[in-house]
Amino acid sequence: MRPDEILPAPPAHAAQVSRELAARVADAIGQAGGWIGFDRYMDMALYEPRLGYYAAGSRKFGADGDFVTAPELSPLFGQCLAAQCAHWFDSAPASIVEFGAGSGEMAAQLLESLETLGAAPQRYEIVELSAELRGRQRELLARRVPALLGRVSWLDALPLRIEGVVLANEVLDAMPVRLFRFSEDRVFERGVARAPGGGFAFADRPGDDAFAARVRQAVSEAWGAAGAPAGDYVSEIGEQAEGWVATVAARLARGAMLLLDYGFPRAEYYHPDRSGGTLQCHYRHRVHGDPFLWPGLQDVTAHVDFTAVSRAALGAGLAPLGYNSQARFLLDCGLLDRLGALPRDDAREWARQARAAQMLLSEAEMGELFKAIAFGRDVPDDAPGFATRDRRAVLQ
Ligand SMILES: C[S@@+](CC[C@H](N)C(=O)[O-])C[C@H]1O[C@@H](n2cnc3c(N)ncnc32)[C@H](O)[C@@H]1O
């Protein structure tokens, strides 16, 4: 069955927004001679002003949206990150730059918790591409941390120089990726063309030399001497995420960068068995694989290649501070003690938090697929979140 036959249809006004966006994508394809790279399509689907998924007004995060992120699940997540940030504030300026702050929930949790710890940052800067989300973030923070609102500001562009702590939760997975198909030792770039019956379809064309070389390099590290698996192999290259990490890392003059997201080290990312890649679409809590369904109304994501992320950060001169599963990171930041300390007078609320903790930690949920990775400049390599175990060696 096709996804559109089983997923709930969008309301009429949303369908209209999607049609407008589809018309723009069709124009872009026409202007480019009939084909655009998937990264261009993904960029438009997510960020086209007024129409893209993150640029338009639909509700994305939380129970009535399309997916739930860790801070939306429980304040315990933000409390754990706050403990980690407070530690870094001992050796770096007490300032946070958060990228892609979503609903603003993580910022609210961090500011609340840091204030409780007596470590409220002097500045909390948010870099958010979506004007609509900025508005929501401001509203939430005005309600939750009114006394600290004066310290929060929204930046239009990447700061040139950063001192303090950089945070990004589930931001790298939202950056456009290029797709490839490896077939009989040839590299094709998988892009987007107009489909004969309307809508869009994947269309492959031979990758240019630079792209083919990048793909070969990435997969050969995972495939080793065994060479290419039999049949077609389709996956992604997260060039924009790598470029973003390199740029932010270069601008981090002093402090730490903590990124949380779902993904793997390269050997797992391009494992011969993962021959369909990691591209996923989220629509009303259903996951499916058709990025052309209702453009602009669904999230489109790809997992993160943490080896590439690590090389980009180290290449920009940062030192590694840790890499581990989200579960281990949160446990090391004291998640269970924090859960244990929650008031139990409201049994229902306590049970909700216990269930959320289980989702954050369970290997079957977010505990193992999601990772935490940290880098720093001029800060000690003693992050509490990586105190008991650290898998950074697998990223080499
Ligand atoms: C999946 S949401 C995560 C939201 C939030 N961090 C959370 O955990 O709930 C991805 C977010 O990343 C933002 N984003 C993507 N690329 C970005 C970039 N280059 N700079 C800043 N934000 C970006 C999107 O606008 C969106 O708000």
Side-chain angles (χ1 to χ4, degrees):
M1 258 186 159
R2 297 195 327 260
D4 61 331
E5 291 171 341
I6 42 176
L7 293 172
H13 66 278
Q16 177 53 31
V17 170
S18 181
R19 278 193 290 275
E20 257 185 74
L21 178 60
R24 283 213 195 164
V25 173
D27 279 352
I29 292 174
Q31 281 167 21
W35 185 96
I36 54 172
F38 187 80
D39 51 342
R40 173 103 168 87
Y41 173 80
M42 186 165 162
D43 190 51
M44 292 185 83
L46 297 183
Y47 304 110
E48 181 71 10
R50 213 174 45 76
L51 303 172
Y53 181 74
Y54 284 114
S58 72
R59 188 148 191 98
K60 305 144 190 57
F61 316 99
D64 56 345
D66 300 300
F67 54 85
V68 176
T69 60
E72 302 287 335
L73 269 178
S74 168
L76 294 168
F77 183 78
Q79 290 171 17
C80 288
L81 263 62
Q84 178 59 78
C85 289
H87 176 84
W88 279 325
F89 290 166
D90 289 341
S91 47
S95 170
I96 290 178
V97 181
E98 185 187 350
F99 287 85
S103 67
E105 182 58 44
M106 190 170 101
Q109 292 170 8
L110 271 157
L111 287 165
E112 283 167 349
S113 309
L114 284 165
E115 191 173 35
T116 310
L117 295 172
Q122 291 310 309
R123 288 188 303 168
Y124 196 109
E125 295 172 317
I126 296 179
V127 185
E128 176 58 67
L129 302 179
S130 152
E132 188 264 332
L133 287 177
R134 283 181 184 207
R136 270 176 55 190
Q137 292 157 8
R138 188 186 296 276
E139 225 173 81
L140 184 83
L141 294 173
R143 205 162 12 92
R144 293 270 292 276
V145 281
L148 293 176
L149 192 62
R151 301 186 192 190
V152 183
S153 56
W154 281 262
L155 307 180
D156 290 323
L158 259 169
L160 291 175
R161 181 184 165 86
I162 303 172
E163 288 192 82
V165 177
V166 171
L167 297 175
N169 183 58
E170 289 201 40
V171 173
L172 294 173
D173 72 76
M175 295 192 184
V177 291
R178 291 173 82 178
L179 302 187
F180 68 84
R181 177 166 62 90
F182 195 99
S183 182
E184 295 178 352
D185 204 37
R186 294 184 65 199
V187 175
F188 296 86
E189 178 157 8
R190 173 156 289 192
V192 182
R194 296 184 72 169
F200 306 109
F202 285 125
D204 297 353
R205 66 183 201 185
D208 62 37
D209 290 350
F211 183 67
R214 292 213 57 187
V215 169
R216 285 182 194 282
Q217 168 68 32
V219 296
S220 67
E221 288 182 37
W223 296 346
D232 283 1
Y233 189 93
V234 175
S235 192
E236 320 84 33
I237 294 267
E239 273 178 0
Q240 291 201 20
E242 270 174 66
W244 180 88
V245 171
T247 306
V248 176
R251 294 182 185 189
L252 181 63
R254 184 157 62 111
M257 166 155 99
L258 174 64
L259 311 173
L260 298 111
D261 223 311
Y262 39 93
F264 320 98
R266 180 159 288 181
E268 265 179 76
Y269 198 103
Y270 298 114
H271 191 282
D273 290 344
R274 203 183 305 284
S275 59
T278 70
L279 193 73
Q280 280 185 347
C281 307
H282 295 255
Y283 180 75
R284 310 258 186 99
H285 297 277
R286 272 93 155 182
V287 180
H288 68 94
D290 180 1
F292 306 126
L293 182 70
W294 302 314
L297 302 188
Q298 58 171 351
D299 191 21
V300 182
T301 81
H303 289 36
V304 175
D305 171 359
F306 281 106
T307 303
V309 166
S310 172
R311 288 178 188 166
L314 304 192
L318 296 190
L321 295 180
Y323 170 68
N324 216 333
S325 66
Q326 174 172 286
R328 199 63 252 170
F329 173 81
L330 295 175
L331 288 169
D332 278 2
C333 287
L335 184 131
L336 291 181
D337 288 343
R338 290 170 211 287
L339 176 65
L342 289 179
R344 297 186 187 218
D345 40 351
D346 181 345
R348 202 178 283 250
E349 176 55 20
W350 197 86
R352 212 175 65 76
Q353 290 304 328
R355 161 101 186 99
Q358 144 82 9
M359 281 187 77
L360 292 171
L361 299 178
S362 161
E363 285 190 6
E365 306 270 0
M366 300 172 84
E368 176 55 36
L369 176 61
F370 285 68
K371 309 291 190 309
I373 192 166
F375 308 94
R377 196 185 306 275
D378 293 343
V379 294
D381 182 5
D382 61 355
F386 305 97
T388 63
R389 254 183 68 203
D390 188 339
R391 299 189 208 161
R392 69 179 82 166
V394 303
L395 297 177
Q396 251 111 67

